[in-house]
Amino acid sequence: MSAQYASAQPKAVNLDSSAVSSPSLWNRVSNWVSEHKTVVYTVAGVAVVVTGAGLVYYLRDSSQDQDSINRRASKKERRKAKKEKEAAEKTVKEEEQSSRNKSATVETAPPEDLPEVDETTVNTLSDQERKDYAAKLKVAGNRAYGDKNYNRAIELYGKAILCKPDPIFYSNRAACYNALGQWEKVVEDTTAAINLDNEYVKALNRRANAYENMELYSEALLDYTASCIIDSFRNEQSAQSVERLLKKVAEKKAKLILETKEKKLPGATFISNYLQSFRAKPRPDGLEETVELDEQSGKGQLQSGLAALTSQTSEAYEKAATCFDKALELGDLGEHEAFAYNMRGTFRYLRGEATEALDDITKSTSLDPSMTQSFIKRASMHLELADRDAASRDFDYALERSQEDPDIYYHRAQLHFILGEYAEAAKDYQKSIDLDKDFIFSHIQLGVTQYKMGSIASSMATFRRTIKNFDKVPDAYNYYGELLLDQQKYPEAIEKFDTAVDLEKQTNPLAMNVLPIINKALALFQWKQDSAEAEKLCEKALIIDPDCDVAVVTMAQLLLQQGKVTEAMTYFERAADLSRTEAEIINSLSYAEATRTQIEVQQKYPKLASRLQGMGAMGGPGMR
């Protein structure tokens, strides 16, 4: 049984272009997000071409993250993660060692020669005496610190501060408090140092480390970010700390959001792409439109739900979900019970109710093991829950029941694609085509996979054949346009997007797929830097599908590229609200928090705003 019973042509799988996007620092945050979004969207039958957000913050290239979604990390990877987590503390230790090394080269004063200074006697000293005394006390403090006599060092640095309030003295005393784990004291002294020198990187890093130990992640992120900007991101450990803190802040906020977030269906574009990633099949016997059923019966509700799916609007999908819920409540479904659990599980999955969805789909497999689609859907759910082994087993179960179902090969190819196993993905896409050449998804995804493998000529040939064979289907033009856009063939790409939009209007005017509109917006921005027209197109897409998170994120990126940071942050937060799962929320919040921190850095350190602009944060490389 299929989730798709509408006569409309299926929407297709988009292209993730991270393999050919720019590796610049400023794009790494968006590459990370797009890679993780690909997991969700490719499973759902959609991917998105969004890179280069223009953010100065970045996340490390996450090519290994695709493997981590389906298995427990290896020992080597866990060791690597542990090392990265300890990077900030290592920075502090190295700085402390550097301080000890420097102090060893200075002729230290014998203890009996140290000046006695307190708040009363310091006022009797001349400026030169204060300067000389401070230098001697600092040297003695460094010696005590090197001997791990932290309390004595604290005392000596404190006396040096009485003589001369120097940012280095405060930072050194903060290092002592850091060694003792007195984080509030670290914050107090590093703040004093920064007030005296607001570009004192060592003090910023020490305070950030203290904030992180106090679980004040937003404050830590702000300090590490300022430190990175001052150093032009040359300090890799500080940059790693920005990455780590950005994730921590997003994860912490995501958990709070999930506690109160109402589960709701995603936008119509997302749902349509998911449902239509399965081949259209006739309705089950007895649920056809011509059969008269009591609407208040279980079977009647199933029939009503299937009828609602044909409209492909957000309202219709909400109605369908309600009908499938009610069908199982009313019961008396007979041979359609397994199908009812399949459909209710599908919409629970789309709402982000992972546990309930798995229960329903598992019930469906037990009631009717011959329904291979239930195994396929459960595999997708397992994959989203980072359980590759379970996903692979479900594909094996499905193949045991039918080796001639093209959907099995298509969706298993999706699994390979997500994991970067492109050769295996291409084989399964081709097998899916061999079994059913009339399904456009398989052709498009084969072309995408060839492109990811670097076989550009083969990929372009596949798309040209697809357009020839599906010349009235908008998806063929849209995704061919994406290949052209990725190659910076802007006029040709825009021509294809326009054709896709025109065909959408003709074939599905009330429930248009807005992806061609969004792609055209990106093309105009990249080609002509026409931000005004790009924004208008995104606004148009959001009028058609207000809950399309792709349109929301694209609008946020466009605004960010123009330096409209506050407006961009609003859209990133909206994207988080539209997200289905914790992983999606974290991705959106990563952008939002990076944007928020950028605003705070500029407000707190106005002099750094010009550096941000120079680095491209306020309008960097074009979106790809």
Side-chain angles (χ1 to χ4, degrees):
M1 304 297 180
S2 172
Q4 167 57 19
Y5 296 89
S7 60
Q9 292 287 352
K11 306 296 187 286
V13 179
N14 201 345
L15 165 68
D16 164 45
S17 65
S18 59
V20 291
S21 60
S22 168
S24 69
L25 275 175
W26 322 127
N27 290 340
R28 288 166 77 176
V29 64
S30 57
N31 288 346
W32 180 79
V33 171
S34 69
E35 284 171 9
H36 284 70
K37 291 289 277 188
T38 299
V39 173
V40 178
Y41 280 108
T42 306
V43 171
V46 186
V48 187
V49 175
V50 279
T51 58
L55 283 172
V56 72
Y57 316 102
Y58 76 97
L59 295 171
R60 297 180 65 78
D61 187 349
S62 301
S63 58
Q64 293 183 352
D65 289 348
Q66 295 189 2
D67 289 333
S68 68
I69 66 170
N70 62 88
R71 58 174 172 77
R72 187 169 180 264
S74 66
K75 290 183 178 179
K76 181 178 179 181
E77 291 168 333
R78 293 199 299 274
R79 286 196 298 269
K80 181 179 179 181
K82 183 178 180 181
K83 288 180 181 178
E84 289 182 353
K85 185 178 180 181
E86 295 170 348
E89 296 178 1
K90 182 179 178 182
T91 300
V92 173
K93 291 179 181 178
E94 289 178 350
E95 290 169 351
E96 292 165 355
Q97 181 62 48
S98 175
S99 177
R100 288 196 294 271
N101 292 340
K102 289 178 181 179
S103 66
T105 66
V106 179
E107 184 178 349
T108 58
E112 63 271 14
D113 290 345
L114 286 177
E116 288 297 331
V117 180
D118 57 33
E119 292 181 0
T120 302
T121 60
V122 74
N123 294 323
T124 66
L125 301 175
S126 67
D127 290 344
Q128 187 59 48
E129 286 175 324
R130 289 188 182 193
K131 183 178 179 180
D132 293 342
Y133 284 14
K136 290 182 179 181
L137 289 163
K138 177 203 171 187
V139 169
N142 289 351
R143 181 177 181 180
Y145 181 87
D147 293 337
K148 297 186 179 181
N149 189 351
Y150 301 122
N151 289 320
R152 174 59 175 163
I154 288 169
E155 177 187 354
L156 292 166
Y157 288 136
K159 290 182 177 182
I161 290 168
L162 283 176
C163 295
K164 180 187 175 185
D166 188 290
I168 294 175
F169 302 163
Y170 280 110
S171 183
N172 285 358
R173 190 169 68 177
C176 299
Y177 288 127
N178 183 87
L180 296 170
Q182 298 180 20
W183 309 119
E184 292 82 0
K185 290 288 188 180
V186 175
V187 170
E188 183 180 330
D189 270 359
T190 50
T191 299
I194 294 164
N195 287 339
L196 293 168
D197 179 1
N198 60 19
E199 293 194 9
Y200 192 1
V201 169
K202 188 179 292 186
L204 282 165
N205 286 338
R206 281 189 176 138
R207 187 170 70 176
N209 182 61
Y211 278 141
E212 186 172 1
N213 278 284
M214 296 165 70
E215 297 187 3
L216 298 173
Y217 300 134
S218 294
E219 290 84 348
L221 177 60
L222 177 62
D223 278 351
Y224 276 130
T225 299
S227 168
C228 284
I229 295 168
I230 293 167
D231 268 351
S232 300
F233 278 86
R234 287 190 296 266
N235 186 324
E236 181 66 15
Q237 290 180 343
S238 294
Q240 289 176 2
S241 296
V242 170
E243 172 189 345
R244 184 180 65 256
L245 267 297
L246 198 56
K247 291 179 182 178
K248 278 189 176 182
V249 171
E251 288 169 356
K252 185 176 181 180
K253 292 194 174 185
K255 292 185 184 300
L256 293 174
I257 289 174
L258 283 171
E259 289 175 2
T260 57
K261 181 178 173 64
E262 177 187 359
K263 297 290 187 181
K264 62 180 181 180
L265 291 174
T269 298
F270 186 101
I271 298 174
S272 295
N273 278 299
Y274 178 77
L275 295 179
Q276 296 170 3
S277 67
F278 294 89
R279 285 160 168 79
K281 295 181 181 180
R283 293 192 188 187
D285 292 341
L287 297 179
E288 298 91 344
E289 190 175 0
T290 55
V291 176
E292 293 187 9
L293 294 170
D294 180 1
E295 192 171 335
Q296 296 307 311
S297 68
K299 293 179 182 178
Q301 285 297 304
L302 268 183
Q303 186 186 59
S304 296
L306 293 175
L309 292 181
T310 61
S311 297
Q312 297 182 306
T313 64
S314 294
E315 294 77 12
Y317 287 135
E318 289 287 354
K319 179 180 178 181
T322 301
C323 287
F324 297 138
D325 286 344
K326 193 170 182 181
L328 283 165
E329 290 175 9
L330 292 170
D332 194 23
L333 295 166
E335 73 274 21
H336 300 307
E337 186 176 6
F339 177 71
Y341 276 106
N342 177 301
M343 296 308 298
R344 187 175 74 174
T346 298
F347 277 83
R348 283 181 164 180
Y349 167 65
L350 290 168
R351 276 196 296 262
E353 299 171 349
T355 302
E356 295 85 349
L358 269 175
D359 289 344
D360 276 354
I361 297 297
T362 298
K363 181 71 172 177
S364 176
T365 62
S366 63
L367 288 169
D368 185 358
S370 67
M371 190 180 294
T372 56
Q373 191 195 90
S374 294
F375 290 102
I376 297 171
K377 288 182 177 179
R378 191 169 69 178
S380 297
M381 296 175 191
H382 282 309
L383 186 61
E384 189 168 287
L385 293 171
D387 192 344
R388 175 187 179 176
D389 291 341
S392 296
R393 284 196 298 273
D394 275 330
F395 284 122
D396 290 342
Y397 293 149
L399 285 170
E400 287 173 5
R401 287 153 179 81
S402 173
Q403 295 189 8
E404 302 300 316
D405 183 344
D407 276 347
I408 301 174
Y409 297 98
Y410 173 78
H411 286 274
R412 189 173 69 175
Q414 299 286 67
L415 169 66
H416 291 308
F417 183 91
I418 291 168
L419 300 175
E421 301 166 355
Y422 300 125
E424 294 301 315
K427 290 179 184 177
D428 273 348
Y429 287 133
Q430 187 60 58
K431 179 69 173 178
S432 177
I433 292 170
D434 293 342
L435 291 170
D436 176 15
K437 64 181 177 59
D438 296 327
F439 188 59
I440 191 172
F441 281 116
S442 299
H443 297 275
I444 288 175
Q445 274 294 84
L446 176 60
V448 169
T449 304
Q450 291 168 334
Y451 196 81
K452 294 283 283 184
M453 294 171 71
S455 302
I456 308 302
S458 297
S459 175
M460 299 296 279
T462 297
F463 270 91
R464 285 193 293 270
R465 285 196 301 272
T466 302
I467 286 179
K468 181 180 179 180
N469 295 327
F470 299 90
D471 63 321
K472 300 300 181 184
V473 183
D475 306 283
Y477 298 91
N478 178 51
Y479 301 112
Y480 185 42
E482 289 202 357
L483 285 180
L484 296 169
L485 175 59
D486 201 71
Q487 298 171 66
Q488 299 182 8
K489 297 179 179 179
Y490 300 118
E492 299 169 68
I494 290 174
E495 178 188 352
K496 295 297 183 290
F497 297 143
D498 283 337
T499 301
V501 171
D502 290 341
L503 287 171
E504 284 285 350
K505 291 177 181 177
Q506 295 171 25
T507 60
N508 206 14
L510 298 179
M512 285 181 60
N513 182 347
V514 299
L515 294 180
I517 299 174
I518 298 168
N519 280 333
K520 182 179 179 180
L522 291 172
L524 286 171
F525 188 85
Q526 289 179 38
W527 182 25
K528 298 182 177 180
Q529 295 296 299
D530 190 346
S531 56
E533 183 61 24
E535 282 187 40
K536 286 180 183 178
L537 288 169
C538 283
E539 289 170 355
K540 181 179 179 180
L542 286 169
I543 290 172
I544 297 170
D545 186 358
D547 293 333
C548 178
D549 58 348
V550 181
V552 171
V553 170
T554 303
M555 177 66 91
Q557 292 181 320
L558 287 168
L559 292 168
L560 194 61
Q561 287 281 340
Q562 300 169 69
K564 300 176 181 178
V565 184
T566 303
E567 296 172 61
M569 185 175 66
T570 301
Y571 276 92
F572 284 132
E573 289 175 339
R574 182 178 171 190
D577 183 60
L578 292 173
S579 299
R580 295 168 47 250
T581 65
E582 183 175 3
E584 289 182 52
I585 294 173
I586 290 171
N587 289 339
S588 298
L589 287 178
S590 294
Y591 268 124
E593 289 308 313
T595 309
R596 187 195 313 280
T597 306
Q598 180 167 310
I599 294 171
E600 292 177 359
V601 166
Q602 293 178 86
Q603 291 174 342
K604 194 167 184 179
Y605 307 103
K607 292 181 180 179
L608 296 183
S610 60
R611 297 194 190 184
L612 282 168
Q613 292 174 339
M615 293 176 188
M618 305 300 293
M623 294 166 63
R624 291 289 305 279

